Amino acid sequence: MAYISNTNEDRAEMLSAMGFTSFDALLAPLPPAIRYQGELNIPTALDEGGVLRRLQQLAAKNVDLESHLCFLGAGIYDHFRPVVVGMLAVRGEFATAYTPYQPEVSQGTLQAIYEYQTLICGLTNMDISNASMYDGATGLAEAALMATSILNRGDIVVSGAVNPLYRQVIQTYANVTGYRVVEVPTAEGVTDTERLSEIVNSQTACVVFQQPNFFGNLEDVETLTETAHKAGALAISAVDPISLGLLKPPGDYGVDIVLGEGQSLGNAMGFGGPLLGFFACNKRFVRSFPGRIVGATQDSQGRRGYTMTLRTREQDIRREKATSNICTNQALLALCATIYLCELGKTGLRHVADLSLQKAHYAFQQLCAIEGVKPLFPNAKFFKEFALSLPVSPSELNTSLLQSKIVGGLDLGAYYPEFAGSSLFCVTETKTKAGIDALVSATEGVVKGGKA
Amino acid sequence: MSKDTREPLIFDVSRPGRVAANLLPKCDVPYQSPSELLGAESLREKLPLPEVSELDVVRHFTHLSQRNYSIDAGFYPLGSCTMKYNPKINEKTAGLPGFAALHPLQPQETVQGALELIYELQKMLAEICGMKATTLQPSAGAHGELLAMMMVQAYHAERGDTQRNIVVIPDSAHGTNPASAARCGFKVKGIPSNEKGCTDLAGLEKALEGGNVAALMLTNPNTVGLFESDIQQICQMVHDAGGLVYCDGANMNAMLGLTRPGDMGFDVMHFNLHKTFSTPHGGGGPGCGAVSVQANLEPYLPVPTVEKEGDTFRWKFDNSKSVGKVHSFYGAFLIAVRAYTYILSLGKEGLRSASENALINANYIRARLADYYDVAYNAPICMHEVVFSANRQKREGDVRAMDISKRLMDYGFHPPTNYFPLIVPEALMIEPTETESKQTIDSFIEAMIAIAKETQENPEIVRTAPHTTLVSRLDETMAVKNLDLRYAPLFEE
């Protein structure tokens, strides 16, 4: 039988050592009424070749983005993954280890997490980072809940320019705890800071925004942070880690909690999972922080070593009084992010960010030259994503683009009814000028064809 | 003796100006100044990242990997964690571009294979646990618990039963259970276990009084490794009191094809695909905490759900009763690919065989070590794991569960789970899984017996273990007192 090492003789010897003659004796604790007598409605075992063929057959039913050009972003990004990342992370010594509860035999994982924490702090210019959260959305929800518990206030104020999927997750978490989620309207593709200052009050636990925001635009982060702080609330920012190759880190403008989706840092898009939530904050919140944290210490002979620390915040010790229920997190994806950031390094990450910036602006300018295509937010500054108002329906455009092996932008109308007819495009460093030109000419073809 | 064997931090290896490889293309579009495009005030100055070569990276992370114990390297009998062999084919299938290189927001007609896989796996999991429907959205077991408690709350709210603010949890439960219930705003009421290590029916009866109980969270087999033989009655009692029953599925590896939580009376459960269905733990994730529900909770499943119409699969986003979303997208899809691969490889007969062998291996350890260590509760048979207490060793040689765990490292094994469940003093929780051979298990048993003898003859060697690892016991107090959570020199001016 698959992956079973015992032979029939082994089993017989083992049962006999226990004084039993058949396996059924071990089922004695199960009341007969709930012993499953049937056959599970699951296929019979396939051989390895058969399994591979079945999975390849399913995979072949999908349009993969190695064979197609992808201009979709909205939280998951087609950035280049250096080969070395996957090659190292697949090592069984990393992949088949458990959470490092036994530090003496887990120094590899522990040191990698310590390096990861350092790199996240470096990217964000924050004091402390945890070992990871499930994804950007739950990281944001946890950050908001952390603010409510630190300040004992019940309102979570969220910019309407935060990823709508993230806002749905915050709402789900808030519903069960009775916290109120208050949305701040946007104006010209960014958070309306005037409306924000009217909304915040002594019940505001936090002001949540995203930089660059869901539309790809740069927010006035200084004003947003200041407005939160004036109301005595915490400022929470979701950030695109790649953008931090160029953009000012959140620590520089005084944000209290920073989080984001770390998929871009060397992890597969994977149809949206598994993902990597990174999470960093100011050191005064170290005791209210969710998740695992690794610290450096010494062994009994004075040698440097690493161990999970501040454990008394956690569920297995504090149970219902824990700062969060999180246990298993995203260690292997955090490892990939660590390897990615080391491999790219100081110049490489800047280069990824700059190339994405350049190519996105080239694509923007070329697309806007098509008659009828207009920037949705003409006054906004953007990083690698931009919204365009289109003279054809975004979904029809996308269907046509597929013929040219292009996966087009996101139909914004699905998330913002007021922006129906607009698409959100994303251009990363993986797109060549030729690829962008192909998008532009295919789009132009559809636009002109649609008018004819 | 105290040779410094540490691997330098990657930051120590860094040299100004060093780069890894020719990873990125030159800019092939007209270059515009970032400060013009973004505004000079938006740009950063310092970027404190390492500067290393690719060879530096490969050596460093290879060295780090060598400082880990792993299933691929040896026996890892960590109780409650189901450290079974993680088949290599799972990595191959999860890496297929048709799965790994998919964007979650692609048009649905371009991801029909992915939706079919999700649909099929959800059905398989529901069949395995005897329930109606499944979601793959939660990222881990604790996340599944949280989602389940959200659904429990929505269920009672719809019935106007908003006074139900209590979740009953046995004292033997995983810490995530009370933490997840509390995260949903529930009050946690603990109930003690009885002298057999199982749920105390009288205690449960008392806890159910008052009509305020929303749910019971129960692990079955429980964390002592014993099957809750009264499970049907337990579920009946909770249902009669108007509550729901949640199964913590961490121990599902004991039950595949042998018995089903849905048939026992549970309303909802989570699976750990990273335990029962062989997806690698990754040193602390990623996992997938799939949740299955009976028909009564199906309306509250998170959105989107996947539906089949003819031969077409599609996401359904509109469901007014849904609790909402608990993940950015649809959960850990590539973990689902691995679990699906595993189920196809084993088939129905293999799943049953997995649990049978898990039970045989655990009971064999229990039988062979019973003369040397105290079995936590003296039931004649355990399920897929066995819990011992090191009470005898503590009494005889002042040797504790922690010491025995550390000493096992010197014998080449990963330690069992220790000090859990909390109701067992000096607990050593051993879960061998089905994939280990009698040979491996025998050598583990020999090591445990040798340590039992050492506690009588030379307890000091156990108390000061491990002696052969790269570092010895770490100073946890110092780690908390002098918090060092990042490499400070990187942040100095």
Side-chain angles (χ1 to χ4, degrees):
Chain A
M1 208 53 71
Y3 314 122
I4 301 287
S5 306
N6 284 331
T7 63
N8 287 337
E9 290 70 31
D10 288 334
R11 272 187 293 275
E13 276 179 41
M14 293 166 97
L15 285 167
S16 143
M18 299 173 229
F20 299 126
T21 50
S22 86
F23 168 74
D24 276 356
L26 296 183
L27 295 181
L30 276 59
I34 53 167
R35 277 197 212 173
Y36 185 66
Q37 306 291 359
E39 275 206 359
L40 290 173
N41 182 20
I42 281 177
T44 197
L46 291 176
D47 58 279
E48 191 167 280
V51 173
L52 274 177
R53 278 192 298 279
R54 169 67 181 145
L55 271 294
Q56 279 159 351
Q57 177 203 28
L58 277 174
K61 292 184 187 180
N62 301 319
V63 165
D64 74 75
L65 301 174
E66 284 185 7
S67 62
H68 284 58
L69 286 176
C70 172
F71 293 97
L72 257 181
I76 297 294
Y77 299 107
D78 181 23
H79 284 290
F80 183 68
R81 300 174 68 209
V83 171
V84 73
V85 175
M87 290 291 213
L88 289 169
V90 80
R91 289 182 69 95
E93 297 91 332
F94 287 128
T96 74
Y98 201 75
T99 302
Y101 290 121
Q102 299 288 341
E104 298 87 348
V105 288
S106 312
Q107 284 298 300
T109 293
L110 287 161
Q111 184 172 333
I113 295 172
Y114 179 86
E115 292 180 356
Y116 165 83
Q117 291 172 179
T118 303
L119 291 164
I120 293 298
C121 289
L123 262 190
T124 57
N125 193 23
M126 299 299 284
D127 301 327
I128 49 174
S129 157
N130 72 8
S132 73
M133 308 297 282
Y134 304 136
D135 63 3
T138 58
L140 192 47
E142 289 267 5
L145 293 184
M146 178 175 149
T148 59
S149 93
I150 289 171
L151 297 177
N152 199 21
R153 293 178 175 193
D155 285 0
I156 297 165
V157 174
V158 185
S159 162
V162 167
N163 187 327
L165 298 171
Y166 287 23
R167 284 187 281 131
Q168 286 179 30
V169 174
I170 294 184
Q171 187 66 57
T172 304
Y173 275 65
N175 283 345
V176 290
T177 36
Y179 297 120
R180 200 161 69 109
V181 178
V182 185
E183 189 180 314
V184 189
T186 61
E188 300 196 47
V190 294
T191 312
D192 186 335
T193 50
E194 281 178 25
R195 292 294 304 281
L196 173 67
S197 55
E198 294 157 19
I199 287 170
V200 293
N201 59 37
S202 62
Q203 278 314 299
T204 308
C206 54
V207 174
V208 178
F209 55 90
Q210 183 177 334
Q211 174 78 333
N213 68 25
F214 183 68
F215 305 115
N217 299 331
L218 296 198
E219 293 278 3
D220 179 357
V221 286
E222 274 86 3
T223 303
L224 293 171
T225 305
E226 204 181 290
T227 310
H229 288 167
K230 270 189 192 155
L234 302 189
I236 298 177
S237 180
V239 293
D240 171 359
I242 298 290
S243 76
L244 295 177
L246 282 175
L247 291 179
K248 197 177 268 188
D252 284 15
Y253 43 86
V255 163
D256 301 285
I257 307 172
V258 179
L259 62 289
E261 178 49 62
Q263 171 269 327
S264 314
L265 304 173
N267 288 291
M269 292 188 282
F271 201 41
L275 297 176
L276 166 64
F278 61 89
F279 195 105
C281 77
N282 188 296
K283 62 174 177 275
R284 69 200 153 107
F285 303 126
V286 69
R287 307 271 159 189
S288 356
F289 210 44
R292 255 92 217 225
I293 302 178
V294 168
T297 184
Q298 285 183 358
D299 75 357
S300 57
Q301 296 173 38
R303 294 175 294 203
R304 184 179 171 94
Y306 304 88
T307 183
M308 294 202 293
T309 191
L310 294 166
R311 297 269 293 123
T312 52
R313 300 165 299 113
E314 290 194 54
Q315 47 77 27
D316 50 332
I317 295 174
R318 283 291 286 284
R319 298 177 82 82
E320 64 266 29
K321 294 191 176 66
T323 56
S324 167
N325 68 332
I326 193 166
C327 179
T328 287
N329 48 89
Q330 307 295 104
L332 201 62
L333 286 90
L335 174 72
C336 287
T338 307
I339 300 170
Y340 176 87
L341 288 170
C342 293
E343 172 79 3
L344 282 171
K346 195 184 290 248
T347 50
L349 191 74
R350 268 190 206 280
H351 199 36
V352 170
D354 196 13
L355 281 174
S356 300
L357 176 78
Q358 299 299 333
K359 297 192 179 215
H361 282 78
Y362 173 74
F364 172 80
Q365 283 146 11
Q366 297 298 308
L367 286 166
C368 286
I370 300 172
E371 199 186 336
V373 176
K374 294 192 185 71
L376 187 60
F377 308 117
N379 298 323
K381 289 193 164 72
F382 67 89
F383 171 54
K384 69 184 183 199
E385 290 177 277
F386 53 87
L388 298 179
S389 146
L390 302 170
V392 291
S393 121
S395 65
E396 279 170 31
L397 171 63
N398 284 344
T399 306
S400 301
L401 288 176
L402 272 177
Q403 314 286 323
S404 313
K405 295 204 156 194
I406 293 171
V407 172
L410 183 79
D411 181 354
L412 271 178
Y415 301 94
Y416 295 87
E418 67 272 35
F419 299 138
S422 296
S423 264
L424 181 67
F425 291 86
C426 173
V427 188
T428 64
E429 84 285 4
T430 54
K431 304 300 166 303
T432 59
K433 177 173 179 295
I436 296 167
D437 290 343
L439 167 72
V440 173
S441 87
T443 303
E444 193 166 24
V446 174
V447 168
K448 285 187 174 155
K451 277 185 172 177
Chain B
M1 183 63 211
S2 71
K3 186 176 148 242
D4 193 345
T5 58
R6 77 197 169 107
E7 170 68 12
L9 287 157
I10 193 75
F11 312 104
D12 293 327
V13 179
S14 174
R15 291 295 175 273
R18 192 179 285 170
V19 292
N22 188 13
L23 297 165
L24 298 164
K26 290 209 162 56
C27 188
D28 59 357
V29 297
Y31 191 81
Q32 297 166 273
S33 139
S35 59
E36 271 170 40
L37 294 176
L38 297 170
E41 72 288 353
S42 298
L43 300 182
R44 79 185 297 157
E45 286 162 21
K46 284 183 301 181
L47 181 60
L49 292 180
E51 295 173 88
V52 291
S53 70
E54 183 161 311
L55 182 58
D56 290 333
V57 170
V58 169
R59 289 213 175 123
H60 177 67
F61 288 98
T62 300
H63 291 163
L64 287 187
S65 78
Q66 290 164 341
R67 300 168 76 82
N68 265 4
Y69 195 92
S70 64
I71 300 174
D72 278 7
F75 186 46
Y76 214 125
L78 198 60
S80 219
C81 302
T82 315
M83 298 297 277
K84 62 170 75 177
Y85 169 61
N86 306 141
K88 298 301 173 191
I89 185 181
N90 299 352
E91 301 309 307
K92 169 98 177 161
T93 56
L96 290 171
F99 298 133
L102 295 185
H103 192 290
L105 299 173
Q106 276 178 235
Q108 297 188 36
E109 65 269 22
T110 67
V111 290
Q112 284 295 303
L115 295 183
E116 183 176 345
L117 188 149
I118 291 170
Y119 181 86
E120 289 291 324
L121 178 60
Q122 289 182 170
K123 259 191 6 188
M124 287 171 166
L125 293 174
E127 169 73 4
I128 288 168
C129 72
M131 295 202 191
K132 173 85 189 303
T134 305
T135 175
L136 302 178
Q137 225 177 87
S139 297
H143 202 202
E145 295 170 13
L146 180 69
L147 170 64
M149 289 303 108
M150 288 173 172
M151 291 194 282
V152 164
Q153 197 187 67
Y155 170 92
H156 290 306
E158 195 188 348
R159 280 153 188 76
D161 255 356
T162 46
Q163 85 289 354
R164 293 189 180 272
N165 63 345
I166 291 171
V167 170
V168 178
I169 302 175
D171 54 6
S172 58
H174 296 110
T176 48
N177 289 185
S180 300
R183 208 84 179 118
C184 264
F186 287 116
K187 281 185 194 144
V188 173
K189 190 185 272 187
I191 50 170
S193 304
N194 64 20
E195 72 289 350
K196 291 179 186 159
C198 290
T199 305
D200 178 41
L201 298 186
L204 176 63
E205 175 107 58
K206 193 157 175 291
L208 291 171
E209 282 168 10
N212 290 333
V213 170
L216 166 72
M217 295 180 92
L218 191 65
T219 311
N220 196 25
N222 66 29
T223 61
V224 190
L226 302 178
F227 194 85
E228 294 274 354
S229 296
D230 295 324
I231 187 61
Q232 290 167 288
Q233 194 184 342
I234 291 169
C235 292
Q236 191 61 51
M237 286 166 69
V238 179
H239 287 153
D240 287 347
L244 298 169
V245 197
Y246 174 81
C247 177
D248 180 325
N251 293 342
M252 191 65 212
N253 209 45
M255 303 192 282
L256 302 170
L258 300 176
T259 181
R260 307 195 300 174
D263 299 340
M264 298 171 201
F266 284 105
D267 298 284
V268 48
M269 73 171 287
H270 85 258
F271 291 92
N272 300 90
L273 299 191
H274 48 294
K275 295 180 183 176
T276 315
F277 297 95
S278 86
T279 77
H281 289 70
C288 173
V291 168
S292 290
V293 291
Q294 302 275 23
N296 57 353
L297 287 174
E298 190 180 11
Y300 310 102
L301 284 172
V303 286
T305 50
V306 64
E307 296 200 331
K308 187 179 182 182
E309 289 169 358
D311 290 332
T312 306
F313 298 87
R314 65 177 196 97
W315 289 122
K316 187 167 181 282
F317 289 92
D318 50 332
N319 174 3
S320 60
K321 290 186 181 175
S322 164
V323 295
K325 269 177 80 63
V326 294
H327 187 269
S328 299
F329 298 98
Y330 326 114
F333 174 69
L334 296 180
I335 302 300
V337 173
R338 290 173 171 93
Y340 182 74
T341 304
Y342 176 74
I343 293 174
L344 291 188
S345 301
L346 263 65
K348 57 187 163 195
E349 60 278 52
L351 291 172
R352 189 184 162 103
S353 170
S355 284
E356 287 182 4
N357 280 278
L359 263 61
I360 292 172
N361 284 351
N363 275 285
Y364 178 69
I365 291 175
R366 183 185 170 285
R368 286 213 45 205
L369 287 179
D371 287 343
Y372 302 91
Y373 295 88
D374 296 341
V375 175
Y377 288 91
N378 209 10
I381 289 165
C382 65
M383 295 298 283
H384 67 306
E385 62 191 1
V386 53
V387 180
F388 292 102
S389 163
N391 258 347
R392 195 193 308 178
Q393 286 68 28
K394 188 178 174 191
R395 206 171 50 237
E396 288 176 357
D398 194 23
V399 162
R400 307 197 52 196
M402 178 67 81
D403 305 323
I404 294 164
S405 295
K406 302 298 184 196
R407 184 62 178 149
L408 271 168
M409 297 173 185
D410 291 334
Y411 284 89
F413 298 104
H414 194 279
T417 293
N418 47 45
Y419 299 100
F420 182 80
L422 306 177
I423 57 169
V424 177
E426 300 297 323
L428 289 164
M429 184 196 227
I430 301 170
E431 181 181 7
T433 84
E434 74 278 10
T435 56
E436 299 296 336
S437 67
K438 177 172 180 291
Q439 278 163 294
T440 303
I441 290 173
D442 278 337
S443 49
F444 172 75
I445 289 168
E446 294 310 322
M448 286 292 287
I449 293 172
I451 295 169
K453 287 184 179 150
E454 284 174 345
T455 64
Q456 293 168 335
E457 292 157 11
N458 184 10
E460 186 61 17
I461 201 167
V462 185
R463 284 196 295 260
T464 54
H467 304 284
T468 56
T469 47
L470 290 165
V471 291
S472 58
R473 289 193 206 191
L474 290 151
D475 189 336
E476 314 270 349
T477 314
M478 179 196 261
V480 176
K481 247 187 184 167
N482 309 327
L483 278 180
D484 176 354
L485 310 176
R486 62 178 204 183
Y487 181 65
L490 200 66
F491 300 89
E492 283 156 12
E493 288 302 322

